[in-house]
Amino acid sequence: MKSDRWTRRAMLMLAALTAVLSGCTSYVTTQVTAFSDWSGNDASRTYAFTRGPTQQNSLEQQTYEVLVANELATRAFRQVDAQQAHYLVGLSYGSKTETMSVTQPVFYSSPWPGPYWGRPLDPWGPFGAFPPAYVSQSYPVFTHTLGIRIVERATGKEVYNVMARNAGDEPSLVRAMPYLARSALADFPLGNGAVRTVKLPVDKNAGISNEAAGAPAPASPASAPVVVQ
């Protein structure tokens, strides 16, 4: 029956909309904002992590420090004891969830195929297409952030402060963190007030290991980042 065809068509439209909204992307896009007074050289790039009161004895904190340490190492930083470090590096991170709604039209054809009023070949019937119905689809958007702050240990002077932020359908900060860490330190050091968009290809093997803290560093995306000015 015609009504069955309308129902199937509406269901197909809904399925297509859902696929578009929830489909996997091939890149993780991260916005990076940096504030910089950097004048260090490679010889002075020794550092130690510093932790706030709520970060003490935290396995989550230690896990993220490993990821950031990996990225710092590729930029000639060397981790040492706090008393020997030229710089102290602090991390901040978090997630929030928002609900987004998208409304799309769904078009229906006329149930009367003709012939009527001299239009025997009109597939839409005598009145043309019916006005579209509108279907709203709600879905969650997860925003993850990582901040990296570098200060001189001896003076407490802030020399670099960078924030990386991405949003999408990934609910886990743990899975997002390798991309945040790499994006935050892409093209280090950025100029003061620099804003960049960094695209990293999705690596299904990039994630956080369940091994004990202090184990070899978790894998992070291997391909070079694409930096959009």
Side-chain angles (χ1 to χ4, degrees):
M1 294 177 63
K2 292 288 184 181
S3 59
D4 292 335
R5 286 202 291 271
W6 305 339
T7 301
R8 285 196 296 271
R9 182 173 298 179
M11 293 300 292
L12 287 172
M13 288 291 292
L14 282 172
L17 176 60
T18 302
V20 168
L21 295 176
S22 62
C24 296
T25 181
S26 58
Y27 284 89
V28 175
T29 301
T30 302
Q31 185 183 66
V32 177
T33 304
F35 296 94
S36 176
D37 188 18
W38 185 262
S39 59
N41 56 58
D42 288 350
S44 67
R45 290 187 181 187
T46 58
Y47 76 96
F49 285 108
T50 182
R51 297 182 177 186
T54 62
Q55 296 173 333
Q56 299 295 328
N57 303 315
S58 167
L59 285 174
E60 181 183 21
Q61 171 77 16
Q62 187 170 347
T63 302
Y64 298 158
E65 286 176 0
V66 171
L67 285 172
V68 174
N70 285 348
E71 299 304 323
L72 289 172
T74 66
R75 289 153 183 85
F77 280 87
R78 182 166 54 92
Q79 189 172 1
V80 298
D81 291 337
Q83 295 305 312
Q84 300 173 336
H86 188 81
Y87 299 108
L88 296 177
V89 178
L91 306 182
S92 60
Y93 43 85
S95 297
K96 68 176 182 179
T97 306
E98 297 178 312
T99 300
M100 303 292 291
S101 295
V102 175
T103 301
Q104 294 286 343
V106 178
F107 292 91
Y108 300 91
S109 63
S110 168
W112 300 288
Y116 296 97
W117 293 284
R119 303 173 63 187
L121 300 178
D122 184 358
W124 299 98
F127 305 110
F130 282 164
Y134 288 87
V135 177
S136 293
Q137 175 77 34
S138 296
Y139 61 100
V141 175
F142 303 93
T143 301
H144 306 296
T145 58
L146 169 66
I148 302 174
R149 184 173 184 260
I150 303 176
V151 303
E152 293 180 343
R153 182 182 64 82
T155 65
K157 176 186 176 182
E158 182 180 86
V159 293
Y160 202 70
N161 194 330
V162 62
M163 175 67 69
R165 176 184 291 103
N166 61 38
D169 59 1
E170 172 55 66
S172 172
L173 175 60
V174 175
R175 293 194 182 99
M177 189 58 70
Y179 301 96
L180 291 170
R182 190 156 192 223
S183 298
L185 292 169
D187 288 344
F188 175 90
L190 295 173
N192 188 47
V195 179
R196 294 287 188 272
T197 299
V198 180
K199 294 174 65 178
L200 286 171
V202 172
D203 183 351
K204 295 186 182 300
N205 296 319
I208 303 294
S209 172
N210 287 327
E211 297 175 4
S220 60
S223 300
V226 177
V227 180
V228 181
Q229 301 295 332

